[in-house]
Amino acid sequence: MMVTILNRERINAPSYDQGLLWVTLILLGLGLVMVYSASIAIAEADKAVGNNSSYYLVRQAIFIVVSLSAAFVAFNIPIAWWQKMAPYLFLLGLALLVLVLIPGIGRVVGGSRRWLSLFVINLQPSEFMKLFAAMYVADYTVRKSAVMDSFKKGFLPMVGVMVLVGFLLLREPDFGAFAVIASISIAILWLGGINGKIFFGLVALLPVAVVGLIMSSPYRMQRVIGFMDPWADPYGKGYQLSHALIAFGRGEWFGVGLGASVEKLLYLPEAHTDFLMAVIAEELGFVGVATVVGLFTWIVMRAFGIAKQAIENERYFSALLAQGLAVWIGAQGIINMGVNMGLLPTKGLTLPLLSFGGSGILANCIAMAILLRIDFENRRLQKGLPA
């Protein structure tokens, strides 16, 4: 009798991770509220949007609805299909990155050519390239598992592909997206069993490569200079960071109150996108920041837990993809928060699931749906059902 009850409970248990879904929805909801709060003054002062204070709120709400709809579709697609399509999706991502660089097709905003105009919205290919890169590297690692110890057969081909991606991203320029994609790729290769000597050699060369990229670009050098001492030029190179730090300082423990931020009143540039965390810090204080950090930490830890379950089920592509998605959300979150807090130079990266932007929200929601699908298939296998 007891065995029958236990079996019934196991079969009737939830077939998806309710906690992961709710944390994702909480972050999307918090992002919607904070985007509205951070963008009211910007929208009211912008004639291009009709001086409509709700402009960014409405657009963000539409982005979320569309993204959740796309996520629902993605959740219902088996992981085996994503693995089969990984190389083709990666090629699609490369094609979009090339299109962005063609004058007349790619749209320039703030000196960077990162968007494709689709009339109603602007598509940012680099956001989707993060997802496609995670899929491709996971698939490559599984397919090449027998030769991953080989520098020539296992490692070198992947380096060539990533150099191509890096070249295209740096032409935009989008160093932040390249840093995230490089983090995803290196993490998956390491977790997938790449030769230890090759891995540590790569890690040792990374600082040299980063310094070289900074030295080769005047605008990156100016960002680093502004980051090192924003107060030396608070009205020039250090303007954005100095106002972000002021926002953090004003927030103290519990913040000045929702909607009461001063820095969002046209002082802090990109308050509703790259520097949304600074507005959160000012209005919700340390408690608000710690809550956001805690939610992201939970997602990353849960993603690695899902990957562990996939390994136990001998579903190695699913495991590596889950780990890659965890690194993506974690690395981008850390970089964005680090930039807002003055711990890292400005990178132009949004805060996943929170910052304003259709491409980012859509890519993030699809990634979370795929993570939920991996967990869904794990649970079915544990029940003795087909994935």
Side-chain angles (χ1 to χ4, degrees):
M1 183 66 177
M2 182 62 69
V3 173
T4 303
I5 293 173
L6 290 175
N7 286 337
R8 187 181 300 124
E9 290 178 351
R10 181 170 60 86
I11 292 172
N12 294 332
S15 58
Y16 64 94
D17 192 321
Q18 296 184 27
L20 183 59
L21 175 61
W22 276 109
V23 168
T24 301
L25 293 175
I26 288 169
L27 285 171
L28 288 171
L30 176 62
L32 182 64
V33 172
M34 295 311 303
V35 163
Y36 180 46
S37 178
S39 65
I40 292 176
I42 300 170
E44 287 180 342
D46 191 350
K47 293 181 180 179
V49 302
N51 305 108
N52 181 3
S53 62
S54 301
Y55 176 80
Y56 292 103
L57 169 67
V58 173
R59 287 182 69 84
Q60 185 76 345
I62 293 172
F63 293 154
I64 290 174
V65 170
V66 172
S67 298
L68 288 176
S69 300
F72 177 77
V73 174
F75 175 77
N76 285 282
I77 298 175
I79 296 300
W81 186 89
W82 292 110
Q83 183 175 7
K84 180 181 177 181
M85 295 301 296
Y88 304 106
L89 291 172
F90 187 75
L91 288 174
L92 173 62
L94 286 175
L96 292 175
L97 290 181
V98 171
L99 283 176
V100 164
L101 299 176
I102 299 176
I105 297 179
R107 185 165 181 259
V108 179
V109 178
S112 298
R113 189 184 298 273
R114 300 178 184 177
W115 293 267
L116 293 173
S117 181
L118 300 180
F119 303 106
V120 179
I121 62 169
N122 293 318
L123 181 72
Q124 189 173 357
S126 60
E127 291 293 341
F128 298 96
M129 196 60 188
K130 297 166 189 173
L131 176 60
F132 298 158
M135 291 179 179
Y136 177 74
V137 180
D139 176 58
Y140 176 89
T141 304
V142 172
R143 286 189 288 108
K144 299 284 187 177
S145 58
V147 294
M148 286 306 291
D149 278 343
S150 170
F151 178 82
K152 183 178 180 180
K153 295 181 180 180
F155 178 70
L156 202 56
M158 180 53 65
V159 169
V161 169
M162 288 303 122
V163 167
L164 175 59
V165 173
F167 172 77
L168 293 173
L169 287 171
L170 293 175
R171 291 281 295 174
E172 294 184 5
D174 195 346
F175 183 77
F178 176 56
V180 172
I181 290 173
S183 299
I184 294 169
S185 303
I186 292 170
I188 291 177
L189 288 173
W190 167 246
L191 294 167
I194 194 174
N195 183 283
K197 293 180 180 179
I198 297 174
F199 174 78
F200 288 112
L202 176 63
V203 171
L205 288 173
L206 279 178
V208 178
V210 171
V211 171
L213 288 171
I214 293 172
M215 297 291 289
S216 65
S217 174
Y219 98 92
R220 290 193 199 104
M221 181 61 73
Q222 291 302 314
R223 282 188 170 184
V224 171
I225 293 172
F227 154 72
M228 295 297 290
D229 188 4
W231 306 110
D233 187 12
Y235 299 104
K237 294 186 290 290
Y239 180 81
Q240 196 169 31
L241 178 54
S242 62
H243 279 279
L245 294 175
I246 290 172
F248 270 87
R250 292 191 75 245
E252 298 185 353
W253 285 99
F254 300 103
V256 297
L258 184 63
S261 166
V262 171
E263 288 301 321
K264 71 181 182 185
L265 303 178
L266 306 182
Y267 293 105
L268 177 63
E270 308 298 337
H272 61 306
T273 55
D274 301 354
F275 281 83
L276 186 65
M277 181 58 93
V279 178
I280 293 173
E282 186 178 4
E283 295 190 350
L284 305 182
F286 175 81
V287 172
V289 173
T291 299
V292 172
V293 172
L295 291 172
F296 276 111
T297 301
W298 193 92
I299 287 178
V300 172
M301 293 179 65
R302 185 68 195 104
F304 276 103
I306 291 171
K308 182 180 178 182
Q309 292 168 352
I311 292 172
E312 292 172 354
N313 293 327
E314 298 183 351
R315 299 174 65 83
Y316 300 112
F317 171 78
S318 297
L320 290 173
L321 179 55
Q323 291 165 340
L325 297 179
V327 172
W328 169 14
I329 299 298
Q332 185 164 330
I334 288 171
I335 292 172
N336 177 273
M337 295 175 197
V339 167
N340 276 249
M341 296 177 189
L343 302 175
L344 293 170
T346 305
K347 287 287 183 297
L349 279 175
T350 57
L351 190 59
L353 298 169
L354 280 93
S355 294
F356 176 82
S359 298
I361 293 294
L362 179 57
N364 295 156
C365 285
I366 292 174
M368 299 308 296
I370 292 173
L371 191 58
L372 282 165
R373 177 70 195 195
I374 294 171
D375 177 71
F376 171 78
E377 294 187 2
N378 286 343
R379 291 171 186 249
R380 286 185 63 85
L381 289 170
Q382 289 171 355
K383 294 177 183 180
L385 301 172

